[in-house]
Amino acid sequence: CEDGLYRRGKILVSFTASYGDSLASFTTTLENYFVNDNQVTGSRTISFKGHNAAGNLNWDVAVNGSVILASGEGTITYQSAHNTEMTAGEYSLDYTDNIYSITGSANGTAITGQTFSTVITTPLVSKTTCPHFVSGIVEITPSSQPVRVLNYGSGECDNLATITVSGITFNITLP
């Protein structure tokens, strides 16, 4: 592929109604799907919820997946449940004014066998014109380790964030 990775297999998508119909859902599953000989398994379901109490479009996203490493080094697992709310741009034909707010949680297991969980404690805000979240806070808890608090900032479109571990805050630059 253009990104230098080799992919093979099938990505299957099934749907219950047209895109944008309230209560429609789309499920993506992988069939014998590999990236550079690492097998990727699982599914992702997007369920449209229509307009919420705030009058914004929103949808739930559930992911259940794993990556089985070709090297035999182990398996990575990941499960998540998120809600995405479109807080701006619904009625505009210009997608660049779209803003999204994401809430939810995830958990999984790293190849080392260490489990982890994450919870979005302050909604993650995404603007279509920015490659990174512009604000929001995620708590990341590796098993038997202190909680890491990842803070994306206060709304500026930049690649800066902070991470706090055991009361010590580090500035980081996002790739």
Side-chain angles (χ1 to χ4, degrees):
C1 296
E2 289 183 17
D3 62 1
L5 301 176
Y6 176 69
R7 293 176 176 85
R8 69 182 188 278
K10 294 181 183 179
I11 300 172
L12 307 170
V13 179
S14 63
F15 54 93
T16 61
S18 297
Y19 179 81
D21 283 354
S22 186
L23 304 179
S25 68
F26 296 81
T27 300
T28 304
T29 55
L30 304 172
E31 184 178 298
N32 294 317
Y33 189 76
F34 292 81
V35 177
N36 288 349
D37 294 329
N38 299 305
Q39 185 174 15
V40 183
T41 66
S43 65
R44 176 182 70 176
T45 300
I46 301 172
S47 302
F48 290 94
K49 300 299 187 184
H51 290 90
N52 61 16
N56 296 324
L57 283 177
N58 76 108
W59 50 94
D60 290 334
V61 179
V63 175
N64 184 6
S66 65
V67 177
I68 303 165
L69 298 178
S71 62
E73 292 180 44
T75 299
I76 302 164
T77 65
Y78 180 81
Q79 300 82 38
S80 69
H82 294 94
N83 179 268
T84 301
E85 175 183 4
M86 184 180 218
T87 59
E90 177 184 356
Y91 299 105
S92 168
L93 296 177
D94 180 5
Y95 76 92
T96 63
D97 64 357
N98 293 358
I99 300 175
Y100 302 92
S101 176
I102 302 166
T103 57
S105 61
N107 63 72
T109 306
I111 59 172
T112 61
Q114 182 179 37
T115 60
F116 65 89
S117 63
T118 66
V119 63
I120 299 170
T121 57
T122 301
L124 299 175
V125 175
S126 171
K127 296 180 178 180
T128 54
T129 56
C130 190
H132 303 287
F133 292 115
V134 297
S135 65
I137 299 174
V138 180
E139 289 187 0
I140 306 160
T141 308
S143 63
S144 305
Q145 300 290 322
V147 173
R148 283 99 163 110
V149 178
L150 176 59
N151 186 330
Y152 286 97
S154 61
E156 296 298 319
C157 181
D158 56 31
N159 63 344
L160 304 176
T162 62
I163 192 154
T164 303
V165 182
S166 299
I168 302 170
T169 300
F170 303 90
N171 294 318
I172 60 173
T173 301
L174 302 168

